[in-house]
Each structure stands twice: as C-alpha cells, then as structure tokens.
Amino acid sequence: MMVLFATITGCSNYKELNELSIVLGLGIDYLPDKDMYEVTYQVVNPIENAAKSTGSGTTPVIDFTTTGKTLSEAAFNHANVFSRRNIYSHVQVVVIGEELARKESLNFIFDIFERDANVKVNIPVLVARNSNVKTLLDTLVSIDKIPVRTLEGKLENASLILGEHGDTKIYDVIEDLTNLGSEPAISGITVVGNKKTGITKKNLESMEKTYVALNGIGVFRKGILVGWMDGQKTKSLQIIGNKIKKTFLRIPCDKKHYNTVVINRLRSRSRVDITNNHTEISVEVKAYGFISELLCNKDISKREVLEEYEDKAAQELELEIKEGIRAAQRMKSDVFGFGEILHYSHLRKWNDHSEQWNEVFSQANVTVHASIDIEGVGMRVKPYPY
C-alpha cells in the first residue's frame, strides 16, 4: 500500500526538462556607471549538445546577463530575459571581475553562495584579469565545446602539472575570509588575442585563435584584491600549503644552459613564533624528483655531480619560496596562513597580535631551508657532447 501511494502521488515541485536551463558557469562583475552588479550566466544550448542531433549551427552554450543592486536581485531578474528557470546544481566555475574584486570585499559576494543550498561550494573560483567577465565567458574555444569546461580544465592541469595555480574552491575562499590568520589567494584568468574575434564563430575557423589563459594569483586583504603574484614564486602558495602535486625547477649550469628537475613528491613544514615583538617564520621543505633534461656536460653517473645538482635545485626552490613570501609581505596579506599556525601553536601570542596580524606578518623575518633528493635520471646517463 505504501509503495502504491508513493507511486501515484508524484512531486509538488516537479518540472519538465524543457522548462529548465542548466547553468554551467557564473560570472559576477561591477558596472561603475550604474553602480550595479552584472551577473553573466553560461547555460547549455540543448539542441547543439543533443547526442543524435545534427545541430542548427549555433553555439553550444548561450550567455546572457542580468543586473541588480544585489546579487539576489540580479539572479531573480533572469526571468525578464530568459524563458526557462535556471538550475545551479551543475555550475562548474565562478568568475569574479577584477574591478569588482578591487572595489568590494568578497564577503559581500560569497554570502549568497553559502546561504543558497542550490549552489555547491566545491566549485572553482577565478578572477578575470584585465578583462570583463562577459567577454571572458563569451570567448569560444575549439577543443572543448563548453567554454567554462576549458577554464576548469586549465586550472586542474596547472595545479597537477605546474604547481603554479591552486584549485581554489568557494569553501576555501569562505574559510580564508572567516579566519583572521589567513587571506584568500585566487588564480587569475585572461583573454589572450583579439577579444572581438574571440566571441564570434570566426575564432573557431582561424588558426591564430583568441583564447583564455591562467595569469597570476590574485592576492586579497580583508576580502579586497590588493595585487597580483606572478611567475615561479606563485608555487610557494602550493608548496607551503602542501597542495603541490608536481612542478619543475631550472638549475643553471652556465649563462645560457639549464638542467630541469621535476619534483614529484614534496612535503613542507612551517613554524611561526614571536619573541620580544620579533616575528620569526621558518619553512622546511623536503622534496624528491628526477632529471628530465640535462644541458650541462657533466657525468651524472658520479655521485658528487648529482649532489651538486641537488644543492643547486634546493637553492632554486628556496629562492622561489622566499620570493613568494616577500611578495605577500609587500602586499601585507598573509595568503599562506602563517597566522593560523601561530594561532594553533602559541594561542596567547596570537591573541596579542591577531588584530594587526597582516602588519606583523609583513615585517617578519623569514628563513627557508630545502633539501632535494634526485632519485632518477631518465633513460640516458651521459649528456650529449657539446
């Protein structure tokens, strides 16, 4: 009887699929002339993505924008411009405009994500650098039919292979915003090439394509974007956070040539202490890797040569970490979470300095010690002669 009753009653909030639009990407920007939020939605075009459909020649996704004084108002206003009801359970990436990130704290942006149960908080977050959000999401790509999947894929690849960009999720940002001892750090994304061509189908027909690329790490203080960290030093965030999967190091052997060591295992440990108002931050790193390219004409079958390369690789790793910390210190933003370490290890000292921690962090003395074991040299031992 219970089974029959459940079968015939149905659901009160039932909707047909052709009444819904599946949102895959969200972008949030700021319009200074109107003093309003602009929300860009990237939704699936069902005709172009149907398995057996030949398509109509249109784009696989449809982008549209709405505006409002609040994000909720902008979200509700989608009813004025789109014929279907949005569902957000399949959102794959959220992009924040750089102008908005510099104007207003992320607290005012991410409040809605944590309150709304329809949006998952394990979604990657990016900052649109030197471009507005709509242009970035509108840029068509040839390898992936769905542009937001390209953003997600590039972020995942860079995190797994380069170690320069962390896969920062919404819940990571919320945690950093609510903790006094850490600040958010979010990867930037930029449009490369002709932006006007990139949003048209001509971009798919040209060999020289406009595309989107990861570009630096956005550093925040009190929820507001205060600067960018670029280059090799961005690895320091993943190293200190023990999130790095793989990266590489260039080892100089003369003014023109380098060896390359790939790091495939790494563990770091950080300590923070304050004595007589003098703050000390120490970072210890133990890494393992292999030589992937050898342009120095030395015999690596000799242990002393490998030890020389291990020492040089360790020095390069120490330099990258120090430069990353110094960059954050100049921006007075503890994106590494050293304040949290002090909180857990020396609670009383943390309580005495928590309110001005970013200032304390900016003046801290930093020491970094790294050691690297080279465990392999590939299929060839002897270098090519030159």
Side-chain angles (χ1 to χ4, degrees):
M1 185 68 177
M2 291 294 293
V3 175
L4 177 62
F5 180 77
T7 303
I8 64 176
T9 53
C11 299
S12 60
N13 61 348
Y14 172 78
K15 288 288 181 183
E16 292 285 352
L17 283 175
N18 59 7
E19 298 175 353
L20 301 172
S21 61
I22 301 173
V23 181
L24 295 180
L26 281 174
I28 306 172
D29 225 330
Y30 172 68
L31 303 177
D33 54 332
K34 298 180 179 180
D35 190 27
M36 299 180 79
Y37 292 108
E38 181 182 67
V39 179
T40 302
Y41 308 83
Q42 186 164 114
V43 302
V44 174
N45 184 347
I47 295 177
E48 292 299 316
N49 288 277
K52 296 183 180 180
S53 172
T54 57
S56 60
T58 59
T59 56
V61 293
I62 302 167
D63 289 359
F64 65 95
T65 62
T66 58
T67 59
K69 285 291 185 181
T70 67
L71 291 178
S72 294
E73 180 182 347
F76 285 124
N77 281 340
H78 90 272
N80 293 325
V81 296
F82 210 65
S83 60
R84 301 185 179 194
R85 183 175 299 179
N86 285 346
I87 60 172
Y88 299 97
S89 57
H90 296 278
V91 173
Q92 296 178 9
V93 69
V94 173
V95 183
I96 307 297
E98 181 174 4
E99 186 169 2
L100 175 60
R102 291 187 180 276
K103 169 190 175 289
E104 195 165 86
S105 172
L106 294 179
N107 292 285
F108 297 100
I109 302 171
F110 282 87
D111 177 87
I112 189 173
F113 289 103
E114 194 170 17
R115 291 179 188 276
D116 191 346
N118 294 312
V119 182
K120 296 179 292 185
V121 293
N122 61 343
I123 302 168
V125 183
L126 293 165
V127 176
R129 186 176 184 182
N130 301 325
S131 175
N132 64 66
V133 168
K134 188 177 187 307
T135 300
L136 193 145
L137 290 177
D138 283 352
T139 300
L140 296 173
V141 293
S142 55
I143 296 179
D144 294 298
K145 292 181 67 176
I146 309 297
V148 294
R149 288 181 181 167
T150 295
L151 304 183
E152 184 185 26
K154 290 178 180 180
L155 187 60
E156 183 179 355
N157 273 344
S159 177
L160 291 174
I161 298 172
L162 285 176
E164 294 184 2
H165 293 273
D167 192 2
T168 305
K169 313 285 190 184
I170 289 178
Y171 61 74
D172 294 318
V173 178
I174 292 172
E175 183 178 355
D176 287 331
L177 289 172
T178 53
N179 291 338
L180 289 176
S182 61
E183 297 283 0
I186 304 174
S187 293
I189 191 84
T190 297
V191 177
V192 180
N194 189 318
K195 296 180 181 179
K196 291 183 179 180
T197 303
I199 63 176
T200 66
K201 294 197 73 173
K202 290 182 180 179
N203 195 46
L204 303 179
E205 302 165 357
S206 170
M207 293 297 290
E208 295 183 3
K209 301 183 186 301
T210 299
Y211 59 94
V212 294
L214 293 169
N215 186 10
I217 302 289
V219 176
F220 289 76
R221 184 174 66 241
K222 294 183 179 180
I224 295 176
L225 179 65
V226 293
W228 292 92
M229 189 184 297
D230 294 297
Q232 302 289 324
K233 56 181 170 283
T234 58
K235 298 176 188 176
S236 59
L237 287 160
Q238 311 310 312
I239 292 171
I240 292 173
N242 281 306
K243 297 178 180 179
I244 202 160
K245 304 295 189 302
K246 182 185 290 186
T247 188
F248 71 93
L249 297 169
R250 293 176 299 191
I251 306 173
C253 52
D254 56 40
K255 293 183 179 180
K256 294 183 179 180
H257 300 100
Y258 294 84
N259 294 331
T260 302
V261 172
V262 174
I263 302 298
N264 54 13
R265 284 186 294 149
L266 184 147
R267 191 68 185 171
S268 71
R269 183 179 180 182
S270 302
R271 294 183 178 88
V272 184
D273 199 0
I274 300 177
T275 305
N276 297 326
N277 289 324
H278 183 73
T279 306
E280 289 283 347
I281 296 174
S282 63
V283 180
E284 294 182 5
V285 180
K286 180 62 179 180
Y288 303 86
F290 59 90
I291 293 177
S292 67
E293 187 176 14
L294 186 64
L295 299 182
C296 300
N297 195 4
K298 290 186 177 182
D299 187 357
I300 57 174
S301 65
K302 297 179 180 180
R303 183 57 202 171
E304 59 267 23
V305 175
L306 275 183
E307 289 176 350
E308 176 189 342
Y309 291 160
E310 287 174 344
D311 290 340
K312 288 184 176 181
Q315 292 172 16
E316 181 68 20
L317 185 58
E318 289 174 0
L319 180 62
E320 291 180 358
I321 296 171
K322 286 179 181 177
E323 287 183 345
I325 296 174
R326 287 168 184 163
Q329 286 182 306
R330 288 192 292 271
M331 290 181 270
K332 297 184 178 181
S333 174
D334 181 11
V335 289
F336 299 95
F338 290 128
E340 288 190 71
I341 296 174
L342 181 66
H343 181 195
Y344 294 132
S345 57
H346 303 285
L347 179 58
R348 184 173 298 177
K349 294 178 181 180
W350 165 251
N351 290 334
D352 292 339
H353 298 86
S354 60
E355 294 298 326
Q356 66 274 10
W357 172 247
N358 277 324
E359 186 68 35
V360 173
F361 162 72
S362 69
Q363 300 176 19
N365 181 56
V366 178
T367 57
V368 179
H369 176 73
S371 62
I372 296 177
D373 287 346
I374 296 178
E375 298 181 314
V377 296
M379 300 293 290
R380 183 182 177 90
V381 176
K382 291 184 178 181
Y384 286 96
Y386 60 88

